[in-house]
Amino acid sequence: MVSCCSECTNHTSNWAGHLCHLSSAQLLDCVSSWKPSPCPCSLSVPSPRPAPVRLKPSLPACQRLPWSSMKAHGSRLSFYAGFAVGTFTLYVFLRQVWFERSVTGQQQAGGSALLHDHQHQVEDEKTIWKKERSALFNLKHPHHRGEDSQMADELYKKVRILCWVMTGPNNLEKKARHVKYTWSRHCNIVVFMSSVDDPDFPTVGLGTKEGRDQLYWKTIRAFHYAYEHHAHEADWFLKADDDTYVIVDNLRWILANHTPEEPIYFGRRFKPYTKQGYMSGGAGYVLSREALRRFVEGFKDKVCTHTTSVEDLAMGQCMEKVGVLAGDSRDTSQRETFHPFVPEQHLTAKFPKSFWYWSYCYYPIAEGPNCCSDLSASFHYVDAGGMYLLEYYAYHLRAFGYKYRFQPPAPNGIDQSSQEKKQAEVDNSSRTDQRQDADHAPAAGKEAAAAPAAK
Amino acid sequence: MLSEGSSFMKGMIMGGLFCLVLSLMTSFTPKSESTADEHHHHHVKAASKEELKHFSDSQVEELHNQVRVFCAIMVQPKTLVYWATTMDTWSKHCDKAVFYTSESSKALDAIDLKEKDDWARLRKALKHAYENAGDLRWFFVAQPTTFAIIENLKYLVLTKDPDEPFYLGKAVKSGELEYVAFDSGIVLSYEALKRLVHVFQDEEKCPERGRALWKLSEDKQLAVCLKYTGVFAENGEDAHGKGLFNSQSADSLIADSLKDHPTDVVGSCCSDMAVTFGGMSPNQMQVLMFGVYRLRPYGHDFHDSLAFYPPEGSDND
């Protein structure tokens, strides 16, 4: 039934008597007493709401302007554009946040780990060294998990070595530091010699300037310092540079068959300019206590003076004058143990015949694997990474169960049979006892035959 | 214009929400490939000293025989100097070392597979290795830029049964696939190789020429084929959980450690019982040969349960 009242309501989306401004009672009255006219709706109701606006008002064609449909398109396009921008923005934001979190997480972890490491190191250092009078006294010989280092420990007690390292204030963090944390830990005492005192590192200030021309002055003063302060605390006195890597355990093996009362010194022997030769400075050299005493006396008596800044040659000339013997540091297969270059060069490089090295070496030079003893004591020109790499190769990396081809004879002082018994006890469940005994049997002749010195 | 602006804003909000929902659902991370550091589901550890103590003399002897290794080294004439260095260094410690080349070289001897395609060549090599294994039960596949310490490989697999399928090395995850990286060496037990050679015949599962749109590297292909036979990649670690297979050279790893852990460089770097180092230059390999088989500090001994002797006719170990 069409009525103005129903029409009124029809024009709204839902029944809403209130839109007609009629109460439901009034509307019921209206509906029940409908009369065609007059329409009560027209009295109280505003003009009926126009038809709901559709998105696309059907305007007459002439009135349909072009941008109106694009306007609708435009809105949709804006929506899509907004969607894309929103997605992209949040992606970037998330990636940043995630990334930053993982990085800062790492950094924080890294940073706090570094701090932790540093704290650890400070703590560790108290158990590793005793700092006293500008020297570091190693409190214990570094041990490795799962190893039997009885032989090394015994030599540590019998062959006490003071290592002094030639360095300078500019090289403490770049070079000397790495020496401090790697090979110097195997010395009994280590002293870093510089031109300037540094109680923290610690370094001794020798009162010289820096530079190549000061090398012999520094050497003279360093040895004098070592003699004055530590003569009774060590048997042997090693000089090394801050780019020399020394395997101190092997140095002890070389020295074990000599006594600190012998006037002798060892290193990489060079032949020119001297009768008995002299030792390469960079490869490091080691004086017996008697040799050191004679060196100091020599300066007191003016037998030795500062002749040249070429430190190693000057040293060699003084040693000759005071009757100290230039020792042969080669192993029992005549392979060199002190090296003036890095392992790579000795093992692989083909030095040209015009290179000074050929005419300098006292003993015949071997290239390739025979260049270097299994028990090499030193290498020179080793950078920071090289120090840690050598430490890894020498003290850490090994081949499981490997029986080395070169079996060095035990030093004279060490009681061979009791050593074997001790080893058997230590390793009571080892089944390789028989094989061990066979391997450790010292027979210098056997070794010399087994490991050919030259091809 | 206002309607466009509001549409744009609505779009932006919807887009942001969409992205958020998507990322939460897929737990999105910027990285797509992760290393075995985060996926340690499958790992194989070397036996500890205590475990080895429990074996009797005869058992140890048997282990010694069982743990012999066939090395398959994939070479090419264009990397001749690496080939030569490998021949001169670590490969001498394999019980049997066979070099497989893509084409013959006048300078050095090898089995010429006459195959340029990397995956097809690897297949041929592995098939040849399986057929010529003799009584060797472990297989090590490597490139000549990798240096392997075979004794440490033997230590890792010492107590493992080669009649069980093992596929070891440095385990890397790429998407859903976990595979052993080629550049740090691949270890296969006899059983794993047997299954692999068998599945080679199945052109569907393991085609000789990859059918995928993009070519998978041969180490990934290997993992795919092995997966079909029920063999999965496992990460080789020492008793402390440190990876034994390294894709980087020792020099490079030490340099990284010096930067990241300056107070404990060597400890944070590499395992004492490392099996492989990848990306080694020939000179670095000669130094490593000296460093592992010769250079040592006097007086520090290890009483290992097994003894491995130096090879005949060699002077650099």
Side-chain angles (χ1 to χ4, degrees):
Chain A
M1 171 174 73
V2 179
S3 67
C4 72
C5 302
S6 56
E7 262 180 70
C8 190
T9 57
N10 277 344
H11 284 297
T12 60
S13 52
N14 41 320
W15 191 92
H18 62 276
L19 283 173
C20 294
H21 298 280
L22 294 171
S23 71
S24 42
Q26 284 173 312
L27 193 59
L28 274 169
D29 276 347
C30 173
V31 163
S32 59
S33 59
W34 179 77
K35 288 179 179 79
S37 60
C39 179
C41 298
S42 58
L43 287 172
S44 52
V45 89
S47 50
R49 278 174 75 83
V53 175
R54 283 191 283 256
L55 278 173
K56 287 194 182 128
S58 43
L59 292 168
C62 57
Q63 279 189 336
R64 204 173 291 156
L65 298 162
W67 53 263
S68 61
S69 59
M70 266 187 66
K71 200 173 177 182
H73 274 294
S75 300
R76 194 174 287 178
L77 277 175
S78 318
F79 181 80
Y80 293 148
F83 191 86
V85 168
T87 314
F88 181 70
T89 310
L90 207 73
Y91 171 84
V92 166
F93 174 72
L94 280 176
R95 198 193 168 99
Q96 269 303 104
V97 165
W98 234 287
F99 182 64
E100 262 176 36
R101 201 194 311 155
S102 64
V103 163
T104 53
Q106 265 172 25
Q107 270 179 3
Q108 269 168 13
S112 68
L114 275 179
L115 197 66
H116 195 244
D117 277 350
H118 182 70
Q119 280 171 348
H120 248 272
Q121 191 172 52
V122 170
E123 292 297 305
D124 283 343
E125 280 183 34
K126 298 203 189 101
T127 57
I128 300 170
W129 294 300
K130 182 179 60 164
K131 209 195 287 188
E132 205 183 275
R133 295 174 274 141
S134 298
L136 291 169
F137 289 75
N138 275 316
L139 294 171
K140 57 182 181 193
H141 189 208
H143 280 186
H144 211 62
R145 224 183 311 203
E147 77 173 7
D148 166 20
S149 56
Q150 238 174 321
M151 191 80 98
D153 286 344
E154 211 170 309
L155 283 177
Y156 184 80
K157 287 188 224 125
K158 286 192 77 152
V159 185
R160 299 173 303 165
I161 303 182
L162 179 147
C163 307
W164 74 259
V165 181
M166 174 96 83
T167 185
N170 294 338
N171 282 342
L172 291 187
E173 286 308 306
K174 268 194 298 184
K175 297 185 176 187
R177 178 204 160 75
H178 305 298
V179 169
K180 185 175 165 190
Y181 290 111
T182 57
W183 64 263
S184 76
R185 293 191 47 197
H186 302 267
C187 307
N188 298 72
I189 309 170
V190 60
V191 186
F192 290 90
M193 303 290 187
S194 171
S195 51
V196 173
D197 242 349
D198 181 330
D200 288 318
F201 193 84
T203 67
V204 167
L206 296 169
T208 61
K209 292 195 285 277
E210 286 295 323
R212 277 197 80 83
D213 58 319
Q214 299 293 304
L215 282 179
Y216 195 40
W217 277 120
K218 285 174 90 173
T219 306
I220 295 166
R221 296 209 181 161
F223 273 120
H224 276 76
Y225 178 94
Y227 186 69
E228 278 152 34
H229 293 86
H230 300 286
H232 304 295
E233 289 166 331
D235 305 311
W236 298 85
F237 299 82
L238 169 80
K239 177 261 172 182
D241 286 345
D242 52 17
D243 58 354
T244 308
Y245 185 88
V246 180
I247 302 175
V248 186
D249 296 85
N250 291 342
L251 190 54
R252 290 197 179 93
W253 178 79
I254 294 166
L255 299 175
N257 285 342
H258 299 268
T259 70
E261 288 74 38
E262 277 176 59
I264 195 168
Y265 76 127
F266 293 95
R268 169 61 86 113
R269 205 164 166 189
F270 282 165
K271 65 179 180 222
Y273 314 122
T274 51
K275 272 203 290 282
Q276 64 164 2
Y278 67 96
M279 305 306 174
S280 154
Y285 50 82
V286 57
L287 273 62
S288 68
R289 191 167 50 231
E290 176 59 20
L292 179 61
R293 192 193 67 78
R294 292 194 188 192
F295 180 76
V296 172
E297 287 298 307
F299 273 84
K300 217 174 5 165
D301 302 337
K302 302 274 199 291
V303 170
C304 293
T305 54
H306 183 282
T307 46
T308 161
S309 64
V310 183
E311 159 246 338
D312 43 14
L313 175 58
M315 191 74 200
Q317 286 168 336
C318 176
M319 290 285 101
E320 213 164 72
K321 284 200 194 112
V322 299
V324 172
L325 191 67
D328 179 359
S329 57
R330 295 176 302 168
D331 71 14
T332 46
S333 298
Q334 274 75 55
R335 288 190 178 119
E336 295 275 12
T337 53
F338 287 78
H339 304 285
F341 301 109
V342 289
E344 186 174 327
Q345 284 178 294
H346 286 286
L347 289 165
T348 65
K350 300 266 177 277
F351 297 121
K353 293 294 178 194
S354 56
F355 190 46
W356 61 262
Y357 185 61
W358 289 100
S359 53
Y360 267 51
C361 284
Y362 192 91
Y363 302 108
I365 294 178
E367 286 178 309
N370 283 315
C371 69
C372 316
S373 171
D374 286 23
L375 301 187
S376 285
S378 76
F379 293 97
H380 187 215
Y381 295 120
V382 182
D383 63 8
M387 295 255 170
Y388 296 103
L389 188 66
L390 277 170
E391 184 92 354
Y392 176 62
Y393 283 167
Y395 286 94
H396 294 256
L397 182 65
R398 67 187 189 91
F400 179 76
Y402 189 66
K403 296 296 168 201
Y404 297 108
R405 210 183 281 275
F406 176 64
Q407 291 294 329
N412 297 336
I414 312 291
D415 185 0
Q416 186 60 21
S417 57
S418 77
Q419 198 61 28
E420 279 174 3
K421 270 197 220 113
K422 275 198 204 116
Q423 275 176 354
E425 273 166 31
V426 158
D427 190 28
N428 55 13
S429 54
S430 159
R431 272 152 298 287
T432 55
D433 272 354
Q434 288 167 353
R435 286 173 248 174
Q436 295 283 357
D437 289 347
D439 289 337
H440 282 288
K446 184 173 159 199
E447 263 66 70
K455 273 204 133 144
Chain B
M1 275 302 154
L2 190 68
S3 63
E4 272 164 21
S6 67
S7 306
F8 189 82
M9 292 308 291
K10 274 186 229 162
M12 261 194 80
I13 294 166
M14 291 304 290
L17 283 168
F18 170 73
C19 186
L20 200 67
V21 165
L22 206 70
S23 63
L24 284 170
M25 281 196 328
T26 61
S27 52
F28 156 91
T29 53
K31 300 188 290 187
S32 58
E33 243 190 72
S34 44
T35 64
D37 291 323
E38 297 163 19
H39 296 270
H40 261 175
H41 310 296
H42 307 276
H43 56 111
V44 168
K45 282 196 169 159
S48 69
K49 201 161 179 171
E50 289 70 46
E51 286 167 29
L52 290 176
K53 281 207 175 107
H54 295 306
F55 288 91
S56 71
D57 266 347
S58 56
Q59 280 177 319
V60 164
E61 241 353 273
E62 209 186 293
L63 287 178
H64 199 286
N65 286 328
Q66 186 179 267
V67 84
R68 295 164 72 221
V69 178
F70 183 114
C71 296
I73 301 136
M74 310 298 294
V75 296
Q76 292 181 61
K78 67 181 181 190
T79 50
L80 198 70
V81 66
Y82 292 93
W83 177 350
T85 308
T86 300
M87 281 185 83
D88 188 41
T89 58
W90 62 268
S91 67
K92 292 189 277 193
H93 290 248
C94 304
D95 294 279
K96 186 166 177 174
V98 181
F99 289 78
Y100 297 98
T101 179
S102 55
E103 50 183 312
S104 65
S105 158
K106 290 202 198 81
L108 295 168
D109 269 327
I111 300 214
D112 185 3
L113 298 174
K114 297 185 177 57
E115 179 63 68
K116 286 274 161 60
D117 180 69
D118 292 333
W119 170 233
R121 195 164 72 249
L122 183 60
R123 285 171 61 114
K124 287 188 181 168
L126 288 172
K127 206 155 166 288
H128 182 275
Y130 177 67
E131 284 155 11
N132 293 276
D135 53 0
L136 301 179
R137 287 288 168 268
W138 289 96
F139 300 85
F140 177 65
V141 193
Q143 297 162 322
T145 46
T146 306
F147 190 105
I149 303 170
I150 298 297
E151 289 77 9
N152 290 348
L153 172 54
K154 293 185 178 185
Y155 176 54
L156 175 63
V157 299
L158 193 59
T159 52
K160 319 284 181 280
D161 184 2
D163 290 325
E164 295 286 315
F166 283 100
Y167 167 42
L168 317 168
K170 179 177 180 189
V172 178
K173 205 163 165 94
S174 169
E176 276 308 307
L177 182 70
E178 192 153 0
Y179 68 98
V180 169
F182 201 2
D183 58 5
S184 44
I186 304 172
V187 181
L188 292 166
S189 68
Y190 186 77
E191 176 61 25
L193 185 58
K194 185 163 149 194
R195 293 190 194 184
L196 182 66
V197 168
H198 193 74
V199 84
F200 278 165
Q201 293 161 15
D202 188 335
E203 267 295 307
E204 273 299 308
K205 291 182 181 155
C206 193
E208 190 168 356
R209 315 275 156 179
R211 267 182 281 104
L213 284 171
W214 56 92
K215 238 183 153 213
L216 278 183
S217 59
E218 63 268 46
D219 46 6
K220 287 185 189 153
Q221 277 280 18
L222 189 66
V224 169
C225 291
L226 279 168
K227 228 173 158 176
Y228 278 120
T229 68
V231 182
F232 299 94
E234 292 180 286
N235 197 45
E237 299 165 7
D238 67 9
H240 313 291
K242 256 194 193 166
L244 292 170
F245 295 81
N246 302 290
S247 313
Q248 289 178 278
S249 65
D251 309 58
S252 167
L253 289 166
I254 288 281
D256 286 348
S257 195
L258 184 55
K259 235 187 323 152
D260 300 329
H261 303 99
T263 54
D264 183 24
V265 181
V266 180
S268 315
C269 170
C270 342
S271 173
D272 287 10
M273 311 305 296
V275 177
T276 62
F277 293 99
M280 300 281 288
S281 77
N283 280 0
Q284 288 174 335
M285 288 169 92
Q286 295 286 6
V287 176
L288 180 47
M289 192 74 178
F290 177 69
V292 69
Y293 291 113
R294 295 181 52 210
L295 185 68
R296 67 225 186 245
Y298 182 78
H300 298 260
D301 295 310
F302 293 87
H303 303 295
D304 297 318
S305 319
L306 250 72
F308 296 112
Y309 292 89
E312 298 281 314
S314 175
D315 64 354
N316 56 3
D317 52 20

